[in-house]
Amino acid sequence: MAIAVHPGSFDPPTKGHVDLVLRGRKLFERVVVVVGVNSRKQPLFSAAERVELFRAALEEAGVTDVEVLSWEGLTVEICRRVGATVVLRGLRQGGDFEAEQSIALMNRRLDPGIEAVYLNSREEYLGLTSTSVREISRMGGDVSAFVPTVVASALRRKMGGS
Ligand code: ADP
């Protein structure tokens, strides 16, 4: 069975991300979550915070065998380093497919040994994005339906609540 890398921004991790890892965990020998460090983006949570949040979210879901690390570099390079041959990503509504296809085509040019595998989002998470979670939080809304408890608490703290 193959090893899969699940890369993303995860700013913050949502229930959609955790669900994807849980389902990927059944398909692959190992799943490694890779929190992307993008120096051109100004994230709400630092890379170290996103790593910690994803770890805590997985713990909350009872997952103990998924590694979470941060990475500033090419996805194909972190795949090679951890011995992964699969990039696992999720497909929601709208533009995900087109965006994913161009990423996958470029990754294949960079390393033909790495395949992209997509899982369809569960229906209840189809419209769920980290961007909308950040926006709702900024406006004081309740995001507990969309993110693990640890993430909801971290968002409250970040937004100046308790
Ligand atoms: P990126 O900036 O790399 O798109 P994201 O953190 O937004 O990072 O998403 C990481 C991966 O998780 C992507 O493959 C995305 O399609 C998937 N994903 C995000 N939200 C959901 C969701 N609600 N359901 C299923 N997959 C999702």
Side-chain angles (χ1 to χ4, degrees), residues 80-94:
R80 288 194 282 254
R81 290 194 187 196
V82 303
T85 52
V86 169
V87 174
L88 174 65
R89 298 273 292 177
L91 288 181
R92 290 161 296 184
Q93 291 163 322

Side-chain angles (χ1 to χ4, degrees), residues 47-64:
E49 285 173 324
R50 284 176 279 148
V51 167
E52 277 316 307
L53 285 175
F54 215 129
R55 281 186 187 144
L58 289 172
E59 206 179 303
E60 196 177 303
V63 181
T64 53

Side-chain angles (χ1 to χ4, degrees), residues 23-88:
R23 288 158 60 206
R25 188 62 201 85
K26 294 183 192 151
L27 300 173
F28 300 104
E29 180 186 333
R30 249 175 77 208
V31 174
V32 180
V33 173
V34 174
V35 173
V37 180
N38 184 341
S39 46
R40 284 176 295 110
K41 275 192 194 170
Q42 187 53 53
L44 178 63
F45 291 99
S46 70
E49 285 173 324
R50 284 176 279 148
V51 167
E52 277 316 307
L53 285 175
F54 215 129
R55 281 186 187 144
L58 289 172
E59 206 179 303
E60 196 177 303
V63 181
T64 53
D65 59 355
V66 169
E67 194 185 342
V68 183
L69 45 88
S70 67
W71 174 248
E72 184 169 9
L74 292 172
T75 301
V76 294
E77 182 55 33
I78 189 66
C79 285
R80 288 194 282 254
R81 290 194 187 196
V82 303
T85 52
V86 169
V87 174
L88 174 65

Side-chain angles (χ1 to χ4, degrees), residues 78-158:
I78 189 66
C79 285
R80 288 194 282 254
R81 290 194 187 196
V82 303
T85 52
V86 169
V87 174
L88 174 65
R89 298 273 292 177
L91 288 181
R92 290 161 296 184
Q93 291 163 322
D96 269 3
F97 176 73
E98 284 75 16
E100 291 300 331
Q101 195 171 39
S102 54
I103 296 170
L105 289 172
M106 292 310 287
N107 281 342
R108 177 166 300 153
R109 297 282 293 275
L110 294 171
D111 189 332
I114 292 168
E115 289 291 351
V117 171
Y118 306 102
L119 293 182
N120 284 305
S121 176
R122 261 168 63 164
E123 227 170 338
E124 63 262 50
Y125 302 143
L126 264 179
L128 174 55
T129 67
S130 294
T131 305
S132 57
V133 165
R134 289 197 305 273
E135 285 305 304
I136 294 167
S137 283
R138 269 196 192 104
M139 294 171 194
D142 178 14
V143 290
S144 54
F146 313 125
V147 295
T149 313
V150 283
V151 175
S153 309
L155 279 164
R156 274 196 300 274
R157 283 196 302 276
K158 197 58 110 179

